[in-house]
Amino acid sequence: VIYYGDEIGMGDNIYLGDRNGVRTPMQWSSDRNAGFSRANPQKLYLPITIDPEYHFEAVNVEAQQNNPNSLLWWMKRLIALRKRYQAFGRGTLEFLHPANRKILAFLRKYKDEQILVVANLSRFVQHVELDLSSAKGSIPIELFGRTAFPAVGQMPYQLTLGPHSFYWFELEPSAQQAAADAGTSEEPPLVEIPVTKLDFLHSQTRASIEPVVQQYFQDARWVGAGDEIKAARFDDLVRLPGTQTPLFLALIDVDYVDGTSTQYFLPTAVVAEDRLQQLKQQDAVLRPVLRLTGNMEGVVIDGAHSPECVAEIVRLIASVSINTVRGAELVGTMHGQLDWCPLADAAHLQAPVVAEHTTSAGVAVGDKLFLRLLRHVQPGIHPQVEIGRYLTHRKGFEHVAALVGSLEYRRRGEEPTTLAILHRFVANEGTAWQYTLDELSGFFERILALPAEQRQPPAVARTLGGLAEGEMPSLLNELVGRYLDSARILGQRTAELHNALGAPTHDSAFAPESMTPLYLRSLYQSMRNTQQRTLHDLALGLERLPSDVQAEARQVLDQSDEMLRRFQLLITRRISGQRIRCHGNLGLGELLFTGKDFVIIDFEGEPGRSLGERRVKRSPLGDVATMLRSFHHAALGALFGASSHRGRTPGMIRPEDVAGLEPWVNLWTLGVSTAFVRSYQQHTAGASFVPQSQEEFESLLSHYLLERVLRELGYELDDRPAWAVISIRGILQLLEQTNHHR
């Protein structure tokens, strides 16, 4: 129950008696009569509060409105959050009965919402154990910060609460529960292995195993959501020798309904039932592949989630080669010193913490190494290995996760295929993407706390070039805060990366090359093809977009000729500079934030390109454009995520505040991008690989920006149409900025 004035902690005048104590004039400001009235104070019906603790000069709406950390803003966020979940008002109420009677705990359930409320009624810190057996396997998500807590298991759930503090959790189903709710059983399919056969991949058993593996791949994150699999076939297999747990490394060819095919690397472990349950207690997303019976008993799991398999792959990288079923070799190569010794009995190791990406799985190995298991594989030199090796052994750029070793599959007459890459572990506080979302959350709160007369963003030049020529508004500097310094550091690190990759060398794979007219024409053809393909897909998928986005999408389609005209400038204007080896996909997600600096961890390049395309030398401004697009994507994504029902952005934005915040988000993007580009140009001044004039620099950068946002739109149309609005608005803003600049 909230009484009049409670939202600012106004207090009561208890000496007035009856209900008049809570009906004193609202304390709007520190002005006369607390801003409630300009009348003589003696004429007020009830007196203003002058109690020293609650005096209107200290406790008032104006002061708290200007402070995003005030009780008023906390109350606004609390009410906005409660409105998003119908379970608070309509759900069933189920009280829990913990042994600690100072803790009030209950569940609210309504449709697919399940909210856990835990409150400490004591003025001292309290510990509680809750019986959440009815929600076993669920992941508690703290509602204010969208922070995931450990999964609910078989044991009582333990929490510690500060004095008079509380938690609101949404109990989200785990991956296994979601599959069960969708009608697919968590219990893996049973496949019988004939007793006379040595391995579970004998031809007689493949007919039973491959359909099961096909279904596993169809549900995996590293297969596109819209990609329907036609068939999955084992191409090759090796069983790792000398291990108590049966461990297999498999190459699997997957054919899609659209006629394309991809080869995947799938390490697996066959574990006993008790070991499976032990791992599942530690790993909430572990999902069995299949269950074997016959001459080999056990449950097959993805090797990325098996500590035994991870340890053996590290050993394999550091040891001699072994042969596969088809006579090929698995060869480990060391590029640095391995100062880690796997335990003799890996069964006692904890389940790995697996970070799944669209093309790989990352696994921390202790606190010194990081293993990247590639999912999509193809023959050829992998850029992660090639560039990582080059930078690791080249002095001058140390802001990269050092390469330690790699595992390759080598078949006679074919190029090697990289399967796994081992890096030095980098202590960090998360990715630059996560850090940016946290900073944006604070930025939103500072904007909303501005006085009404300052809510309109200041007028600035709408182009990078225009803003770079002047100074950023002082208000923008104040509101963005320390992230402007972070953007400058990112610009410096990007410049230093390009300085290292663009330095003269006798290595032909890294030697800079001229920006010839022939190359510019091929670049134009590539960008034109990207534009035509993306706009064709946009026209076909127009009806799948949200209704409020379709009008903006039609504006993009209407700008087709204008985009083509801009790309044609590549072959009509002179552009200086050189082509060098680049990162190829340098976004915020490819860097780690160490607390004060950034480290690049991924040189895989753009997953949609072949390995050969990723090794092509390009203008480094392609990397600059990718980072600028990452800023824009983070900003709008954070705004929509913070205002959506189950967005993952920390913080809380009321739906009615979104429209007023979007112009500020665009200004944040422009200011941060300007700081990044200024720093990049400062640290590449005089370098031969960047265009020599500012006009050429901005022209080439605008081409790469437009191409990048078109490629993003293509990906979003395929995988998540609801987010296509970010790229659509990015295209319109780019076209508007360039028109204004001209």
Side-chain angles (χ1 to χ4, degrees):
V1 178
I2 302 174
Y3 283 97
Y4 176 91
D6 278 354
E7 64 270 34
I8 61 171
M10 197 171 85
D12 302 340
N13 186 345
I14 61 175
Y15 301 104
L16 290 177
D18 196 30
R19 303 189 61 170
N20 290 333
V22 295
R23 290 181 175 173
T24 53
M26 171 57 76
Q27 295 169 190
W28 294 106
S29 69
S30 59
D31 294 339
R32 181 176 181 171
N33 295 325
F36 180 82
S37 170
R38 303 301 300 173
N40 187 316
Q42 306 299 326
K43 293 183 177 181
L44 296 180
Y45 181 77
L46 291 173
I48 56 178
T49 301
I50 57 173
D51 184 282
E53 186 175 359
Y54 303 110
H55 199 288
F56 67 86
E57 290 185 349
V59 180
N60 61 72
V61 173
E62 182 181 59
Q64 294 200 20
Q65 174 65 28
N66 295 336
N67 177 12
N69 299 312
S70 66
L71 176 62
L72 175 61
W73 274 107
W74 181 87
M75 191 72 73
K76 286 183 179 182
R77 289 190 285 269
L78 185 78
I79 294 172
L81 180 61
R82 191 181 186 279
K83 285 182 176 179
R84 293 187 189 178
Y85 292 90
Q86 292 182 303
F88 281 115
R90 300 185 181 184
T92 60
L93 179 63
E94 176 187 342
F95 283 97
L96 304 178
H97 302 283
N100 186 344
R101 308 309 295 173
K102 296 180 175 65
I103 299 296
L104 173 67
F106 56 88
L107 292 168
R108 301 298 302 265
K109 299 179 183 179
Y110 183 76
K111 296 182 178 179
D112 64 336
E113 294 179 359
Q114 186 171 198
I115 306 295
L116 169 65
V117 176
V118 187
N120 180 7
L121 305 182
S122 166
R123 59 194 177 100
F124 300 110
V125 174
Q126 297 293 325
H127 172 264
V128 66
E129 294 184 347
L130 300 175
D131 179 9
L132 297 178
S133 55
S134 62
K136 179 184 174 183
S138 297
I139 310 295
I141 306 294
E142 198 276 326
L143 293 188
F144 287 90
R146 299 304 302 178
T147 303
F149 275 51
V152 177
Q154 294 178 334
M155 303 296 290
Y157 201 81
Q158 301 190 38
L159 290 170
T160 301
L161 296 92
H164 297 301
S165 64
F166 72 95
Y167 288 122
W168 285 358
F169 292 110
E170 180 180 15
L171 300 180
E172 288 193 351
S174 63
Q176 293 93 333
Q177 285 180 305
D181 294 340
T184 58
S185 173
E186 181 184 348
E187 185 68 20
L190 179 66
V191 176
E192 184 173 358
I193 306 299
V195 134
T196 58
K197 306 306 174 190
L198 296 177
D199 275 309
F200 71 88
L201 262 191
H202 190 274
S203 58
Q204 291 186 12
T205 61
R206 288 193 183 188
S208 301
I209 291 178
E210 287 176 346
V212 176
V213 173
Q214 176 180 335
Q215 185 58 51
Y216 181 80
F217 271 60
Q218 188 68 75
D219 298 335
R221 177 183 175 182
W222 15 279
V223 174
D227 299 333
E228 185 177 353
I229 295 177
K230 180 180 179 181
R233 307 181 315 279
F234 282 88
D235 178 59
D236 205 349
L237 175 85
V238 63
R239 178 171 180 173
L240 300 184
T243 60
Q244 188 174 9
T245 300
L247 304 175
F248 297 85
L249 307 183
L251 288 175
I252 300 173
D253 291 329
V254 172
D255 297 329
Y256 295 98
V257 172
D258 63 5
T260 61
S261 62
T262 303
Q263 188 168 78
Y264 291 91
F265 171 54
L266 182 65
T268 57
V270 184
V271 299
E273 186 66 38
D274 57 344
R275 179 58 171 159
L276 174 66
Q277 296 307 319
Q278 180 185 2
L279 291 174
K280 287 175 67 175
Q281 285 297 313
Q282 306 165 12
D283 189 343
V285 299
L286 173 59
R287 186 167 62 93
V289 181
L290 56 91
R291 189 181 300 277
L292 300 174
T293 185
N295 76 314
M296 186 179 295
E297 301 280 350
V299 180
V300 179
I301 63 172
D302 187 332
H305 298 265
S306 164
E308 298 90 344
C309 191
V310 170
E312 286 303 317
I313 291 176
V314 174
R315 284 193 184 101
L316 188 57
I317 290 175
S319 64
V320 297
S321 63
I322 60 174
N323 291 327
T324 69
V325 170
R326 300 195 183 277
E329 284 185 311
L330 287 182
V331 181
T333 304
M334 294 297 296
H335 306 289
Q337 183 179 358
L338 181 63
D339 49 2
W340 174 79
C341 180
L343 295 178
D345 186 3
H348 294 296
L349 294 175
Q350 295 291 309
V353 177
V354 182
E356 285 283 7
H357 302 281
T358 53
T359 59
S360 64
V363 184
V365 186
D367 59 354
K368 294 185 177 180
L369 297 173
F370 186 83
L371 180 66
R372 183 180 296 275
L373 299 171
L374 302 182
R375 298 297 196 184
H376 301 197
V377 296
Q378 52 184 297
I381 301 175
H382 198 281
Q384 180 79 14
V385 175
E386 187 178 25
I387 297 180
R389 181 176 57 215
Y390 184 80
L391 292 176
T392 299
H393 296 292
R394 185 180 185 88
K395 297 187 182 299
F397 185 71
E398 299 177 353
H399 297 275
V400 60
L403 182 67
V404 175
S406 60
L407 179 65
E408 289 183 338
Y409 173 84
R410 297 181 183 178
R411 182 182 289 175
R412 187 180 299 275
E414 297 181 4
E415 288 189 283
T417 298
T418 303
L419 304 180
I421 305 170
L422 190 63
H423 289 278
R424 188 78 57 199
F425 182 81
V426 177
N428 65 89
E429 297 182 4
T431 64
W433 175 269
Q434 294 165 329
Y435 164 65
T436 301
L437 294 185
D438 288 339
E439 289 295 304
L440 280 162
S441 176
F443 174 74
F444 295 152
E445 293 176 354
R446 291 190 287 273
I447 295 297
L448 293 173
L450 288 174
E453 62 272 13
Q454 296 183 26
R455 287 286 181 84
Q456 286 298 320
V460 298
R462 290 178 291 173
T463 67
L464 285 173
L467 193 53
E469 293 168 1
E471 289 298 323
M472 281 180 277
S474 58
L475 180 61
L476 183 62
N477 275 303
E478 178 183 338
L479 293 171
V480 177
R482 65 171 182 170
Y483 196 79
L484 282 174
D485 290 330
S486 298
R488 296 184 186 102
I489 294 174
L490 285 167
Q492 179 179 347
R493 298 295 173 250
T494 303
E496 290 169 349
L497 169 66
H498 291 160
N499 286 332
L501 293 174
T505 177
H506 295 296
D507 188 338
S508 60
F510 290 90
E513 298 180 7
S514 301
M515 192 81 72
T516 64
L518 183 61
Y519 171 75
L520 291 174
R521 176 166 289 277
S522 69
L523 182 60
Y524 158 70
Q525 296 284 0
S526 173
M527 291 183 173
R528 185 189 68 173
N529 292 341
T530 298
Q531 176 217 357
Q532 293 176 344
R533 182 172 57 252
T534 302
L535 295 188
H536 177 264
D537 292 344
L538 178 61
L540 291 178
L542 196 62
E543 299 303 321
R544 294 191 296 135
L545 298 176
S547 56
D548 57 336
V549 180
Q550 292 183 18
E552 294 173 289
R554 290 189 177 92
Q555 292 181 44
V556 170
L557 293 172
D558 292 340
Q559 295 282 347
S560 175
D561 291 340
E562 174 63 15
M563 285 185 261
L564 181 60
R565 187 195 65 77
R566 297 188 184 199
F567 286 140
Q568 287 175 335
L569 295 177
L570 281 170
I571 56 178
T572 60
R573 290 182 177 177
R574 177 186 176 277
I575 297 179
S576 57
Q578 290 179 316
R579 297 184 292 127
I580 64 172
R581 286 297 295 273
C582 300
H583 183 283
N585 194 30
L586 188 61
L588 294 167
E590 278 64 49
L591 294 102
L592 292 178
F593 178 58
T594 66
K596 60 181 180 180
D597 212 328
F598 299 92
V599 175
I600 302 175
I601 56 171
D602 186 1
F603 289 92
E604 183 180 13
E606 196 170 347
R609 299 180 186 267
S610 68
L611 291 184
E613 288 180 293
R614 298 182 218 176
R615 298 182 67 230
V616 171
K617 295 169 186 173
R618 294 180 169 85
S619 169
L621 296 193
D623 284 350
V624 175
T626 304
M627 184 62 75
L628 299 186
R629 286 299 310 148
S630 193
F631 289 141
H632 181 258
H633 210 280
L636 276 186
L639 177 61
F640 298 150
S643 62
S644 67
H645 176 46
R646 291 181 179 175
R648 285 292 179 263
T649 305
M652 187 57 52
I653 303 298
R654 299 179 299 174
E656 58 265 33
D657 291 329
V658 172
L661 281 172
E662 191 164 347
W664 282 99
V665 165
N666 295 333
L667 188 61
W668 179 94
T669 304
L670 187 58
V672 168
S673 298
T674 300
F676 174 86
V677 172
R678 282 183 181 180
S679 177
Y680 178 83
Q681 289 186 292
Q682 176 185 348
H683 290 90
T684 56
S688 58
F689 52 77
V690 294
Q692 299 306 302
S693 72
Q694 184 66 21
E695 182 182 3
E696 290 177 353
F697 184 96
E698 292 182 20
S699 176
L700 186 56
L701 179 58
S702 68
H703 285 91
Y704 275 113
L705 279 169
L706 187 53
E707 182 208 29
R708 180 68 192 186
V709 71
L710 284 167
R711 295 180 74 89
E712 288 175 8
L713 178 56
Y715 296 144
E716 286 163 353
L717 290 172
D718 286 340
D719 295 331
R720 48 178 190 175
W723 288 88
V725 60
I726 296 177
S727 297
I728 288 172
R729 291 183 182 175
I731 293 172
L732 295 176
Q733 289 173 12
L734 282 172
L735 296 176
E736 179 188 2
Q737 288 174 4
T738 311
N739 281 332
H740 179 80
H741 183 60
R742 275 195 327 211

